[in-house]
Amino acid sequence: MTNNRTRDEFERGIMLFAFDNEAVDYIELASYCAKRIKQHLKVPVCIVTDNLKKAESFGVFDLYREINCFNNMPNLRNYTPEIVGQFNNHNRFWAQILSPFYETIVIDTDYMVCSDKLNVLWGCNKDFLIQTDSICVDGKSLNTKVSNSTIQSTWATILYFKNTEDSRRLFRLVEYIAYSWDYFREQYKIDTHVYRNDFSFAIALQIINGGIDDLSHYSIPMTMITSRDCDWLYEITDNSVTIDVNGKKIKVENEDVHVLHKQSLMDKLRK
């Protein structure tokens, strides 16, 4: 693990996790995401990766954390009908330990920042917040349960936390759930073998909440706009994203958008 600065040097900032696989160049995607963060949010960006040299070559990150990629289990994901890759997403529970900031926002590298709206989270009176409300670009709700018969899920696409004892306990619980995934997958009747941070954080919050399925105390106070993984990114500018939904072009302006179709996103950022 490489730490190039101490936690005390930065009050707040964004963390990105980026581990390349056979399908997606996540470090390149993180560099593009970091540029948009600096443009709109104007805060430092820390990347967590297993390839420090490559991350440094982009010259856009302020801080670096180099760790070995945690993948003690197969976690294959279909990125396209033709491309399958190891989804290296188990490391999110290390965010609290690795963060160089007192206040941290973790976002996925495919979350396209087009506004300064995430800045509203800084200085809030909560130790931990997570995204719980999401709609598609066409306005349809994307809120789901961990499984059909269990608890409400979260979107770990966006996490906010402070360096406090309460947040440390939560992240250690998520770590325990990740290492015991087969057990929790069976207990919560999860029908996919793909490990999802969305589910782990939802389970952890239910446990901390005394078994009550109520995420209102931990919910980020905004609705996340998301495109489905079958919706192509048609165009992206500094403050807008246009998504092709079944042939219909839907433009979202001055709102952040979670773009799930990574191949079309990569195509656009390389042009």
Side-chain angles (χ1 to χ4, degrees):
M1 182 186 301
T2 301
N3 294 335
N4 64 332
R5 298 195 185 188
T6 65
R7 184 187 292 269
D8 294 334
E9 291 187 40
F10 290 91
E11 180 70 14
R12 55 184 56 157
I14 306 288
M15 288 186 78
L16 303 173
F17 284 72
F19 301 90
D20 292 347
N21 64 14
E22 307 91 329
V24 180
D25 190 330
Y26 279 98
I27 298 176
E28 182 180 0
L29 187 55
S31 72
Y32 181 68
C33 183
K35 292 175 184 176
R36 300 184 71 91
I37 291 167
K38 290 172 176 291
Q39 177 185 0
H40 292 286
L41 302 178
K42 304 187 188 313
V43 293
V45 180
C46 175
I47 185 173
V48 180
T49 184
D50 58 349
N51 192 334
L52 178 63
K53 184 176 181 180
K54 180 177 178 179
E56 288 178 329
S57 70
F58 287 96
V60 68
F61 304 106
D62 300 286
L63 300 102
Y64 303 83
R65 298 289 186 264
E66 186 177 35
I67 63 175
N68 294 325
C69 184
F70 167 81
N71 62 359
N72 68 335
M73 65 188 82
N75 204 42
L76 298 177
R77 173 177 175 177
N78 293 313
Y79 286 85
T80 71
E82 299 81 22
I83 301 176
V84 177
Q86 172 70 17
F87 190 28
N88 298 315
N89 65 332
H90 297 80
N91 312 77
R92 194 66 56 97
F93 56 72
W94 283 333
Q96 197 278 332
I97 292 176
L98 294 171
S99 176
F101 312 113
Y102 174 71
E103 287 185 279
T104 304
I105 298 175
V106 179
I107 64 174
D108 284 356
T109 56
D110 56 2
Y111 183 84
M112 295 294 102
V113 177
C114 299
S115 73
D116 64 354
K117 292 187 176 182
L118 284 179
N119 281 337
V120 73
L121 298 178
W122 306 124
C124 74
N125 62 354
K126 302 291 182 66
D127 287 352
F128 177 85
L129 293 170
I130 192 168
Q131 191 66 47
T132 59
D133 188 33
S134 180
I135 60 171
C136 185
V137 291
D138 60 9
K140 297 178 181 177
S141 174
L142 292 175
N143 296 336
T144 61
K145 289 182 174 291
V146 169
S147 69
N148 290 336
S149 60
T150 56
I151 61 174
Q152 179 186 352
S153 186
T154 65
W155 289 85
T157 309
I158 311 172
L159 305 174
Y160 165 87
F161 61 90
K162 294 176 182 173
N163 178 29
T164 65
E165 187 58 37
D166 283 348
S167 68
R168 278 192 287 273
R169 282 195 291 266
L170 172 62
F171 278 91
R172 297 294 69 75
L173 178 55
V174 174
E175 179 180 9
Y176 172 74
I177 292 168
Y179 278 106
S180 310
W181 184 239
D182 285 342
Y183 169 80
F184 282 97
R185 189 173 62 82
E186 181 178 342
Q187 291 298 308
Y188 284 83
K189 300 178 174 61
I190 299 169
D191 60 4
T192 175
H193 287 271
V194 176
Y195 173 80
R196 289 184 59 182
N197 289 299
D198 307 332
F199 294 168
S200 283
F201 277 94
I203 294 168
L205 290 171
Q206 187 212 22
I207 293 171
I208 285 177
N209 210 27
I212 300 172
D213 185 15
D214 180 8
L215 296 174
S216 58
H217 181 72
Y218 309 101
S219 297
I220 288 176
M222 63 181 72
T223 299
M224 181 175 68
I225 301 173
T226 302
S227 65
R228 302 179 186 88
D229 53 12
C230 58
D231 300 331
W232 281 73
L233 174 64
Y234 179 77
E235 183 180 56
I236 185 166
T237 68
D238 286 348
N239 66 347
S240 72
V241 171
T242 303
I243 301 294
D244 187 328
V245 181
N246 296 323
K248 181 181 179 180
K249 310 299 188 297
I250 300 177
K251 187 174 185 178
V252 181
E253 295 185 276
N254 301 312
E255 297 278 358
D256 304 342
V257 180
H258 184 205
V259 180
L260 288 182
H261 198 293
K262 294 175 182 60
Q263 275 62 46
S264 62
L265 178 55
M266 294 297 299
D267 289 345
K268 291 299 180 184
L269 69 88
R270 286 172 172 170
K271 286 186 177 180

